Amino acid sequence: MQTLRISTDKAELDVPLIHGFLAEQSTWAKGIPLATVERAIEHSLCFGGYLGSSQVAFARVISDYATFGNLVDVFVLPAYRGKGFSKVITQAVLDHPQLQGLRRFTLATGDAHGLYAQFGFTPPLRPQSLMERYFPNIYQSAP
Ligand SMILES: CC(C)(COP(=O)(O)OP(=O)(O)OC[C@H]1O[C@@H](n2cnc3c(N)ncnc32)[C@H](O)[C@@H]1OP(=O)(O)O)[C@@H](O)C(=O)NCCC(=O)NCCS
């Protein structure tokens, strides 16, 4: 069985691969510009999942490293799914020393609730308290 190696070293990230997946294959960031992905990576804690030196998985955390974290852009390349790799990368996120003791860790998912439930994520306790400014099609609008 192949072991997924996790690294938070941004220098190792395959940015064209990450951008390619998000812009073309994701359901949530279709059309996202490369410059936006680069800026997001720069200001986030990023987790790359590698087989040898090839990146096959990704996750990104937006956090103040004290009180709050938001897990986004989680993916495993299609050819490598069903091997537990998303669980390895999610566990690495939750084990990261800079992400301990947070009061709230959020994420949004279309259909992977069963994955994150295995790590203690639940539907919001008080959904009525949450508000957002949300522009889901922002990357499809003409510039
Ligand atoms: C979701 C995704 C990251 C799962 O990656 P994966 O490495 O194939 O998943 P794993 O092999 O680690 O298994 C995931 C576990 O969560 C469960 N699960 C629940 N919902 C799931 C879903 N929508 N997709 C995959 N697994 C799901 C699986 O049954 C499995 O549990 P088990 O091992 O107890 O049977 C991958 O399918 C993917 O990249 N999808 C496209 C992007 C996406 O939807 N990302 C999530 C955004 S929040």
Side-chain angles (χ1 to χ4, degrees):
M1 201 178 99
Q2 294 169 301
T3 305
L4 189 71
R5 177 175 62 84
I6 306 294
S7 170
T8 54
D9 180 359
K10 285 181 189 165
E12 260 198 272
L13 292 171
D14 186 339
V15 178
L17 177 134
I18 296 165
H19 174 247
F21 182 88
L22 293 175
E24 290 156 31
Q25 295 185 59
S26 80
T27 53
W28 63 91
K30 280 222 162 53
I32 188 169
L34 175 60
T36 305
V37 171
E38 288 173 335
R39 198 158 77 244
I41 288 173
E42 184 186 347
H43 297 290
S44 304
L45 179 58
C46 298
F47 294 76
Y50 303 88
L51 294 175
S53 58
S54 301
Q55 186 169 357
V56 302
F58 181 66
R60 184 166 71 82
V61 176
I62 305 154
S63 182
D64 62 5
Y65 305 120
T67 67
F68 177 77
N70 188 24
L71 176 60
V72 297
D73 290 348
V74 177
F75 68 82
V76 173
L77 292 183
Y80 301 93
R81 289 182 189 164
K83 301 172 188 290
F85 289 168
S86 76
K87 296 201 280 189
V88 172
I89 207 161
T90 303
Q91 190 64 60
V93 166
L94 295 177
D95 287 347
H96 194 278
Q98 284 184 276
L99 299 174
Q100 302 308 304
L102 305 183
R103 183 168 183 267
R104 178 175 277 166
F105 214 134
T106 58
L107 62 83
T109 184
D111 65 4
H113 307 74
L115 163 61
Y116 301 112
Q118 298 185 31
F119 295 89
F121 287 90
T122 66
L125 210 55
R126 295 189 299 131
Q128 70 280 12
S129 71
L130 302 178
M131 296 179 75
E132 63 186 1
R133 273 166 54 84
Y134 184 34
F135 309 100
N137 300 321
I138 192 167
Y139 307 129
Q140 275 120 71
S141 326

